[in-house]
Structure formats: C-alpha cells, structure tokens
Amino acid sequence: MTFIPISQPSITQKEISYVTDAIKSGWVSSLGKYIDIFEKKFAKYCGTKYALATSNCTTALHLTLVSLGVESNDEVIIPDFTFVATANAVKYTGAKPVIVDICEDTLCIDPQAVETAITSNTKAIIPVHMYGHPADMNEINRIAKKYNLFVIEDAAEAHGAQVHDAKVGGLSDVGVFSFYGNKVITSGEGGMITTNNENLYIKMRHLRDHAMSKEKRYWHTEVGFNYRMTNLQAALGVAQFERIDELLLKKKEIYEWYKEELNDLNNIKMNFQKMNYLNIYWMICIEILGFTENQRDDLLMRLKNKGIDGRPFFYPLSDMPIYPTVDSPIAHKVFQRGINLPNYFDISKDQVVFICNTLKMEIANVI
Ligand SMILES: *Cc1c(COP(=O)(O)O)cnc(C)c1O
C-alpha cells in the first residue's frame, strides 16, 4: 500500500540550482543576493513598498508587534481558530491575546466580535486568512480606523489571496507570511513582513539584526533580536517564488478535482469563496456536518488505515490551558467536524479520486 502524505514540497531543478549557487558563493548566512531579490520580488507581488525576510513567521509576528510598540497591559484581538503561533507571538510581548469567535462561512475572524471586544487597552487586531481565504478586511479596517488600532494580517496560509484585485499582505498596516515546508511556497523555514510604512520598516530591520547601531559597530541602545533569514533559505524561497503562479494554479485544479468527486455528498461543506474574494485553497477543507470530535478522529484513523494522511482542523485556542476560556460557539462547532486532505503539487487525479471514494465509504462507516 502506498501512503499519500498530507503535504510535500515541489522541488525542481530551479530550486536545486539556486541553492547550489548560494552555497557555492560562500554567502551562507544572512548577507547575500538572494535575500535582497526575495524581499524585492515579494514586496512587488503584494503591492507594498517594503518587505523584510525573517527566520520564520512566528518571529515575523513578534518583530511586528514589538516594532509597533505593543507591550504589557496592551490587548491584541485574535481569532479563536488559528495556528497557535498567532497567539504565542502576542504572549511574547507581555500583551494579552483577546480571543474572539469566527465566521462560519470563511472560518476567519468575525468583525462584529472584534468590535465587541475592544477596550481602552486594545492596541491591535490580527485577522488570519484561514486556509487561504482572506478575512473580511474591509470591515476590520473600518473598525480599526474608528478606534485607532493597528491591523496585522496573518497571511501565513494565504500567499496570493485577494480581496477584490488587491493581494493580502498589502491590505492593512502590516502583513506576515510563512515559508514553512507545507506552506504555499517554502524556504525550509522562513517568514516575510510586508508594509508601506517606512518608519516601521526601518525599525523592524534594525531590531531584526540585534538592533546594532549604524554608526558604531557592536553598540546597542535597544534589546534587539536575531530574526534574520539566511541566503541559503532565500535561494530556495526565490526559486519557489518564481513558480508561485504554477503552484497556485495546481492548488485550484486539485480543489476542483475534489469538488467534482464530492459533489453528490450533501452532508459536507468544502472550502468557501465569498464574492469579491480570491481563495487560494492552501488546504482542502472538508467539514462533515454534525460530526463530533470523536467521530472526526475515528474518520482520520480509518483514512490512515487506507493509506491516506489527513489532519484535524485547529483546536480552539480557548480550549488550551495556556489561554483563557471564551464563549466561541462557531469555533467550537467547526473544529470538531473539519479535516484537511492531501493537495500537494505532485498528487495525481487518480489519487484524489481514490481519496474521495475512500472518504465516502468511511464517512458511512463512522459511528
Ligand atoms: C504556519 C503559521 C504560522 C507560523 O509560521 P512559522 O513560519 O512556522 O513560524 C503562523 N500563523 C499561521 C496562521 C500559520 O498557519
């Protein structure tokens, strides 16, 4: 039996030759041409003036929050349904993550819940573009303007996604992206920050590199970080970036294969695309309506026994002992019934058909 993994990167001769070029050049750490190329290309893609490469997206989030002046006693509003890094980065600053519910259709933060959660201590909002679908940025930007708050788009899962014709990462004050191995494009580990704010960009660049004085080498007036990306990572990132249209097109095609095969099931919900939004379908999302957490886990185990790797949706942050409990009925309903299925670049249509037939059979077997 062959095992179909949930994800695997697409590495071609281009990636191999760029990384080989970088290592042969001797610029193996964080100086070197690929960092500059990656940042310039990425900023242009997102329609922002600046982009700053980081060691990963978690450090990108932390660097952004610190540079915006977020500190103890501040509050930052985040969705209950996201990868834990969104919340952890807020914690690192000493600020309080204020967790709110999501919208059932897009799985992204609910703007109404955001507005309700605002206090005099609120400093920023982090909408997350879940599984490749943009959050409701028009509403969130309107609320942020009204209460004078920063907006940081967590676009770790949504490279190339759009609201109308504008790409995520350029829709608010700052955007952050991830290049982890299972993301839309990868640099092994890596992150990127996009912004139009020059002062913020200068501050972030300074803090990324130990906050070393420009005039006086090895002199520091602030506690900085080493959050740099290496030239080796950037070489892989640039090669992947040059293939981003091809990679996104394949995600869409694979989504259509799943949709066609699962069309006749009426008790499931697949990835949603709201009008005027462009979903890039980072992951295939299947929600089996009415499923409990135990049924979901049983289904994943049955799939695994047939050689198919699936993933459960993220648990609500507010269920974890490290974060406060909140009332978020949608996040609590959705996580129990949702799974992700394989959609990597090299998967074949036959494999998707096999996955869908097995899924139909095993949904019926779950008790
Ligand atoms: C993957 C991910 C991150 C963290 O990215 P790393 O590069 O692994 O640090 C942050 N937020 C979301 C929503 C993610 O999916």
Side-chain angles (χ1 to χ4, degrees):
M1 185 175 72
T2 57
F3 188 70
I4 307 174
I6 184 84
S7 171
Q8 66 184 26
S10 166
I11 303 298
T12 64
Q13 194 50 49
K14 184 193 274 286
E15 282 81 356
I16 292 166
S17 66
Y18 285 18
V19 175
T20 305
D21 178 53
I23 199 162
K24 281 185 176 163
S25 76
W27 297 101
V28 293
S29 290
S30 53
L31 293 174
K33 70 173 183 186
Y34 287 104
I35 310 264
D36 295 337
I37 296 170
F38 200 14
E39 290 179 341
K40 286 213 171 73
K41 279 181 187 281
F42 210 83
K44 187 163 181 231
Y45 185 74
C46 295
T48 56
K49 284 197 193 125
Y50 309 100
L52 192 76
T54 58
S55 49
N56 58 62
C57 181
T58 310
T59 54
L61 275 164
H62 183 221
L63 186 61
T64 300
L65 289 163
V66 169
S67 303
L68 289 171
V70 172
E71 54 188 19
S72 308
N73 300 324
D74 290 337
E75 293 175 2
V76 178
I77 300 173
I78 60 169
D80 202 6
F81 187 64
T82 178
F83 181 59
V84 73
T86 317
N88 286 352
V90 175
K91 271 276 193 189
Y92 301 160
T93 68
K96 182 181 158 199
V98 173
I99 297 166
V100 303
D101 210 356
I102 54 167
C103 301
E104 195 164 346
D105 52 1
T106 64
L107 306 177
C108 297
I109 197 165
D110 178 357
Q112 226 173 317
V114 169
E115 191 154 13
T116 308
I118 291 170
T119 72
S120 56
N121 293 326
T122 308
K123 195 97 186 228
I125 309 164
I126 311 182
V128 183
H129 305 314
M130 287 303 294
Y131 299 121
H133 192 294
D136 186 347
M137 293 307 294
N138 292 338
E139 261 309 283
I140 289 159
N141 285 332
R142 184 191 65 76
I143 293 165
K145 201 167 170 196
K146 182 168 161 193
Y147 296 93
N148 196 23
L149 308 172
F150 294 116
V151 177
I152 303 156
E153 295 173 65
D154 184 339
E157 308 177 353
H159 320 51
Q162 295 180 5
V163 180
H164 291 281
D165 289 333
K167 285 208 168 61
V168 299
L171 303 175
S172 63
D173 298 297
V174 196
V176 296
F177 293 83
S178 172
F179 307 120
Y180 184 70
N182 70 351
K183 297 289 161 78
V184 172
I185 60 171
T186 185
S187 61
E189 294 269 1
M192 192 73 81
I193 310 175
T194 50
T195 186
N196 286 311
N197 183 330
E198 184 178 11
N199 289 335
L200 180 67
Y201 167 72
I202 291 169
K203 173 127 204 193
M204 293 191 298
R205 201 178 53 184
H206 183 60
L207 289 176
R208 178 184 67 171
D209 191 9
H210 302 289
M212 177 141 41
S213 163
K214 264 199 159 146
E215 295 75 36
K216 208 164 147 181
R217 200 167 185 88
Y218 304 131
W219 186 254
H220 309 264
T221 57
E222 273 177 288
V223 179
F225 310 97
N226 175 357
Y227 283 172
R228 297 174 308 229
M229 177 184 278
T230 69
N231 195 46
L232 293 182
Q233 291 167 317
L236 178 52
V238 169
Q240 288 263 292
F241 179 81
E242 288 179 0
R243 297 178 54 218
I244 194 166
D245 290 342
E246 178 196 2
L247 295 171
L248 289 176
L249 206 65
K250 193 62 189 271
K251 288 252 182 245
K252 167 94 171 128
E253 188 180 14
I254 296 168
Y255 171 75
E256 297 297 343
W257 292 344
Y258 272 99
K259 208 171 149 84
E260 196 183 310
E261 293 303 315
L262 298 175
N263 231 349
D264 53 332
L265 283 185
N266 52 23
N267 62 332
I268 65 155
K269 170 183 177 270
M270 283 190 69
N271 305 62
F272 180 80
Q273 182 170 259
K274 217 167 159 171
M275 191 134 76
N276 299 322
Y277 289 71
L278 182 75
N279 190 344
I280 53 97
Y281 305 108
W282 172 55
M283 286 250 175
I284 297 296
C285 298
I286 310 277
E287 293 171 50
I288 303 100
L289 306 180
F291 256 31
T292 62
E293 188 181 348
N294 284 339
Q295 289 175 312
R296 179 202 69 184
D297 291 344
D298 185 32
L299 176 63
L300 286 171
M301 206 184 59
R302 287 169 183 276
L303 292 174
K304 190 153 236 165
N305 290 338
K306 296 279 167 68
I308 299 162
D309 195 13
R311 288 282 184 280
F313 272 18
F314 298 113
Y315 289 96
L317 294 169
S318 65
D319 278 358
M320 300 176 194
I322 49 176
Y323 289 109
T325 308
V326 299
D327 181 30
S328 55
I330 308 287
H332 279 84
K333 177 161 69 180
V334 156
F335 96 89
Q336 302 197 45
R337 66 189 191 189
I339 62 168
N340 302 119
L341 291 173
N343 68 337
Y344 52 90
F345 187 78
D346 290 315
I347 199 168
S348 69
K349 182 154 191 197
D350 283 352
Q351 283 175 309
V352 170
V353 171
F354 166 71
I355 292 169
C356 291
N357 288 338
T358 310
L359 179 74
K360 285 180 197 175
M361 194 172 72
E362 295 301 345
I363 286 178
N365 285 336
V366 167
I367 25 161

